[in-house]
Amino acid sequence: MKIDVHAHIGRLVNGEDMSLEKQLRGMDAYGVDYALISHIECGERLLEDNPLADRQQMKNLAAIEAAAEHPRRLGVLLWCCPDDPGYSADFERLYRDNRKLIKGLKVHPDMSRTDANDKRLWPYYEMAARWRLPVLVHTRENRHSKVSYVVEMARRFPEVPFILGHMSLSDDKEESLQALETDENMYGDTSWVYSAVLAEAEKRGVIHKILFGTDSPIKGWDTYGDPEFYQAYDHLDEILTQESCRRVFFQNAVQLFRLEGLG
């Protein structure tokens, strides 16, 4: 069984449509049983090109409605918009009213123009602590999305599992692996991560903190077949033990997101 913890629906600024249909088609074609989606149009950086009143509420609700149509195949990560409009009681109410479908929160510091440790995000992290929700944070070594910012928040909010989305996009993953080694509540996903990094994670004893994630369908319905990254995942059993493969593709996500009803 495969669970993808990092998938999307919505339309990008360039017009690329990451539709629900594309996501489901990719899942069918590549044997992905369940995915956690977030709605890309919540990203505040898209505001100028796609103005929408209270998109945090409306687009998150659209993701919930998509998952409600396919509850055995999709769950939701609520997208946090700290730059505009920010945390409100309505945001938490959205979670309370849809707890069966919502499995965690999503933070994209670059799209929010907000550092991952900015105090505008703290109410979301406090909410995650109240409900024991994992928080998936886009990471990259740039102005807003540094791994060190997420590590700082993981230590401030030790009840919250923090997932390093991409394990820092486009770097060698060393800082991310160190964070997984030193901080109990730190995890990483495999979105645009080479399979060799997983072998290193197994060697360091942190494979139980690695979750299969892909960014699908950001490169089309066949993102799961990306030849540079995800095709190699079809052969993970050649570099990892069977137990480690099971953990990466399924068991780690089941435990972290409390998905025991699957499978």
Side-chain angles (χ1 to χ4, degrees):
M1 188 170 189
K2 289 183 182 179
I3 297 174
D4 184 351
V5 304
H6 189 159
H8 299 288
I9 60 171
R11 186 179 295 273
L12 294 171
V13 172
N14 65 8
E16 177 65 31
D17 185 14
M18 296 194 292
S19 67
L20 174 62
E21 291 72 24
K22 286 183 180 179
Q23 176 58 23
L24 292 173
R25 180 184 176 189
M27 292 169 68
D28 289 339
Y30 290 94
V32 176
D33 301 274
Y34 187 84
L36 297 177
I37 58 171
S38 57
H39 205 300
I40 198 76
E41 290 175 41
C42 285
E44 293 101 320
R45 186 176 289 180
L46 303 180
L47 178 62
E48 294 79 9
D49 300 278
N50 187 21
L52 175 68
D54 199 2
R55 64 201 171 284
Q56 178 174 253
Q57 196 77 2
M58 294 176 66
K59 290 303 182 179
N60 276 319
L61 184 58
I64 292 167
E65 291 171 348
E69 294 178 11
H70 307 276
R72 297 292 300 173
R73 307 205 65 193
L74 300 174
V76 175
L77 300 182
L78 286 183
W79 192 299
C80 305
C81 300
D83 185 48
D84 179 17
Y87 173 82
S88 71
D90 286 340
F91 183 83
E92 190 155 353
R93 189 177 300 112
L94 190 63
Y95 168 70
R96 291 200 312 269
D97 291 346
N98 299 278
R99 288 176 61 184
K100 289 185 178 181
L101 295 170
I102 297 168
K103 307 303 179 181
L105 305 183
K106 169 67 180 288
V107 173
H108 199 304
D110 290 348
M111 280 196 177
S112 295
R113 299 167 290 216
T114 304
D115 293 352
N117 60 353
D118 192 287
K119 288 188 175 181
R120 287 175 291 180
L121 279 163
W122 290 15
Y124 296 101
Y125 299 153
E126 290 165 356
M127 171 185 161
R130 283 193 293 276
W131 296 98
R132 297 297 191 268
L133 294 173
V135 179
L136 174 62
V137 185
H138 168 94
T139 54
R140 187 171 191 165
E141 287 309 294
N142 58 14
R143 176 181 174 183
H144 298 303
S145 300
K146 295 179 183 295
V147 168
S148 59
Y149 294 164
V150 185
V151 170
E152 178 188 342
M153 292 297 95
R155 294 172 181 175
R156 178 172 287 276
F157 300 97
E159 311 93 334
V160 178
F162 283 89
I163 304 164
L164 300 171
H166 314 295
M167 294 179 66
S168 196
L169 194 63
S170 304
D171 81 351
D172 64 4
K173 316 304 180 188
E174 177 60 30
E175 187 177 10
S176 296
L177 288 169
Q178 288 180 8
L180 269 59
E181 288 180 297
T182 58
D183 290 87
E184 184 178 354
N185 58 329
M186 293 292 297
Y187 297 79
D189 82 17
T190 66
S191 180
W192 310 120
V193 174
Y194 289 109
S195 59
V197 176
L198 278 67
E200 181 65 19
E202 184 182 59
K203 177 181 176 182
R204 296 190 187 199
V206 293
I207 199 67
H208 63 292
K209 292 184 165 190
I210 303 293
L211 305 121
F212 180 60
T214 66
D215 236 2
S216 176
I218 198 166
K219 287 193 172 182
W221 70 268
D222 57 348
T223 296
Y224 290 116
D226 183 89
E228 189 176 2
F229 290 91
Y230 305 131
Q231 279 189 8
Y233 282 53
D234 291 337
H235 308 285
L236 275 184
D237 58 352
E238 297 176 6
I239 62 172
L240 302 180
T241 66
Q242 286 190 340
E243 172 65 15
S244 292
C245 290
R246 186 179 68 87
R247 283 188 168 276
V248 169
F249 282 125
F250 175 68
Q251 193 60 40
N252 293 343
V254 167
Q255 292 174 348
L256 188 61
F257 289 99
R258 295 172 286 184
L259 301 174
E260 290 79 6
L262 293 179

